[in-house]
Amino acid sequence: MGLRATLLVLSLLCPVMAAAQPGLEIVGPIRPPYVSEIDGKPAGPALELARRIAAHAGLTPNIRILPFQRAVLQLDLGGTLYPALLRTPQREARYAWIGMVHADRAVFFTRTGMAAIDTQEQARQAAQIGVLRGSELLPMLQSYGLDNIHIASSEAENARLLQAGRITAWFALNAVGLATAQELGMAGTEFRTGASFAQLSFWVVASPGLPPALIDALRDGYARLRQNGDYDRIMLPLTLLENRS
């Protein structure tokens, strides 16, 4: 079979194979600015990126917003495209990594006018530091030997506590913190950030049990979005947000 015929067959088969997967969904938690809700509907750059990747593979998946632990469980169970999961060594072999959404920075937010936190020693001297329950950043804080950690149920809670002066600092990813404060109507000048303590990458990931041909099709869709400029257009709101920091 010639190259042209082979490509034609693959182009016809790939959407069929993808569509044949029952119950394939895009599932993830609310995590501004990557995944959010606008007028009660799922939105956000990472969600749009995942949807466009799926479309390139011939899929039109249902989209569901679930709490973090339930969304990860669904990813483990199968048939799932997850729009923005942090890539960590512990997760490396567990999932099919489709494409990077954004590299974010772990930073301490403090109130404007207060000292920035740039070192672990400065973090130890803080009265209390807020971090999200279940966050990948919690073990990082604990590894610093801190005994001044306040575990919050949401990033919005951390932002409000910091604004009210009830915690000294808030440890979060830079874009996540900026977007959370923005969604709460807080002025961009209320908080400041210190040095980056780590850089962590959000990725679109898929359940590992999906057929290899479908995984390849999803990765190819991501590559095409990067090549044709659509990725940059989808990520523009996130880029503008980061440029304000």
Side-chain angles (χ1 to χ4, degrees), residues 127-189:
Q128 201 165 40
I129 294 170
V131 69
L132 177 65
R133 184 185 307 278
S135 166
E136 297 86 351
L137 301 188
L138 177 56
M140 190 183 304
L141 272 187
Q142 293 169 333
S143 73
Y144 300 159
L146 304 181
D147 58 4
N148 55 350
I149 300 174
H150 169 78
I151 300 177
S153 60
S154 69
E155 295 291 27
E157 178 186 338
N158 278 320
R160 292 189 181 101
L161 289 173
L162 181 58
Q163 183 186 47
R166 294 172 58 190
I167 57 176
T168 314
W170 165 28
F171 195 47
L173 293 165
N174 185 58
V176 172
L178 292 172
T180 300
Q182 185 180 73
E183 287 202 349
L184 292 173
M186 297 177 179
T189 56

Side-chain angles (χ1 to χ4, degrees), residues 51-238:
R51 188 189 66 78
R52 294 285 297 277
I53 288 171
H56 274 277
L59 297 166
T60 308
N62 182 49
I63 298 174
R64 283 198 296 157
I65 299 297
L66 293 176
F68 174 73
Q69 295 294 346
R70 287 181 59 196
V72 171
L73 176 61
Q74 187 63 43
L75 182 62
D76 290 333
L77 290 174
T80 298
L81 193 62
Y82 191 110
L85 187 70
L86 283 177
R87 190 166 188 167
T88 65
Q90 296 78 12
R91 292 171 174 161
E92 187 64 32
R94 190 171 173 180
Y95 303 116
W97 301 89
I98 304 303
M100 189 177 76
V101 179
H102 181 68
D104 213 335
R105 297 176 289 118
V107 296
F108 287 94
F109 285 83
T110 54
R111 283 173 293 158
T112 299
M114 305 295 289
I117 295 180
D118 297 318
T119 66
Q120 292 183 28
E121 180 58 32
Q122 289 172 333
R124 281 189 280 271
Q125 292 173 1
Q128 201 165 40
I129 294 170
V131 69
L132 177 65
R133 184 185 307 278
S135 166
E136 297 86 351
L137 301 188
L138 177 56
M140 190 183 304
L141 272 187
Q142 293 169 333
S143 73
Y144 300 159
L146 304 181
D147 58 4
N148 55 350
I149 300 174
H150 169 78
I151 300 177
S153 60
S154 69
E155 295 291 27
E157 178 186 338
N158 278 320
R160 292 189 181 101
L161 289 173
L162 181 58
Q163 183 186 47
R166 294 172 58 190
I167 57 176
T168 314
W170 165 28
F171 195 47
L173 293 165
N174 185 58
V176 172
L178 292 172
T180 300
Q182 185 180 73
E183 287 202 349
L184 292 173
M186 297 177 179
T189 56
E190 289 194 52
F191 302 143
R192 63 180 300 185
T193 59
S196 173
F197 278 69
Q199 183 163 295
L200 301 172
S201 298
F202 281 98
W203 280 63
V204 177
V205 300
S207 299
L210 292 175
L214 177 53
I215 297 296
D216 289 343
L218 294 170
R219 287 174 175 158
D220 181 67
Y222 174 80
R224 293 188 184 194
L225 291 171
R226 293 299 298 250
Q227 291 165 2
N228 66 18
D230 283 350
Y231 169 89
D232 293 331
R233 287 186 282 273
I234 293 168
M235 291 297 132
L236 184 59
L238 200 155

